[in-house]
Amino acid sequence: MRRARRAQIHYRDLPRPDYFCDTVEMFHLVLAPEQVRPIAALYVQDMGAAEWDSPVGHWIDAKQAWYVVGSRRLGSMGPTIASFAREDDARRFAEEHGGTVHPFAAITADMAVLDGGALHDQHM
């Protein structure tokens, strides 16, 4: 079974993109202070059009997308950042699954945590 791809980074100095199974991974890397490799483009899937459990296609410019942070829906690594081409799709998703809606520029490093919530789980 092939792992879902939800985000991709195209670097200026590499011929092939890096694919990520979760948007959180992409943001974690892009927003890291040590990220210095020149990025040519970022793409995420429009979850307003793609199937949540097995997304295929529907790639959109990540910098033009809308994101839902803190929803109850999980990605491949636990809590995720859902991506949408249209703000109204993001708002409908947030109404149904919780979370807050943000444009690309408002996503911060503290929203793109890769611990899956484990560091905040008091029951571990």
Side-chain angles (χ1 to χ4, degrees):
M1 183 164 138
R2 194 171 143 196
R3 195 165 76 162
R5 296 175 169 180
R6 293 188 189 254
Q8 51 181 295
I9 298 175
H10 293 254
Y11 296 102
R12 287 189 191 127
D13 58 348
L14 293 176
R16 292 188 185 107
D18 279 344
Y19 288 94
F20 301 89
C21 62
D22 202 301
T23 54
V24 173
E25 287 180 295
M26 179 199 72
F27 277 114
H28 182 78
L29 183 63
V30 169
L31 298 174
E34 62 272 11
Q35 166 55 18
V36 295
R37 175 169 267 150
I39 295 173
L42 301 168
Y43 296 98
V44 293
Q45 288 181 311
D46 176 10
M47 298 314 297
E51 175 66 36
W52 184 268
D53 293 321
S54 55
V56 176
H58 304 286
W59 293 107
I60 57 175
D61 181 342
K63 291 184 177 183
Q64 301 302 312
W66 291 88
Y67 297 91
V68 178
V69 177
S71 80
R72 293 179 297 277
R73 293 296 307 255
L74 298 178
S76 63
M77 300 181 68
T80 192
I81 300 173
S83 51
F84 297 88
R86 298 171 14 146
E87 183 180 7
D88 59 330
D89 287 342
R91 294 207 179 279
R92 272 195 296 279
F93 180 89
E95 286 172 15
E96 183 175 345
H97 302 287
T100 55
V101 177
H102 305 273
F104 178 88
I107 303 296
T108 61
D110 63 328
M111 294 174 179
V113 178
L114 291 177
D115 67 15
L119 294 178
H120 308 290
D121 187 349
Q122 302 300 313
H123 302 290
M124 290 183 74

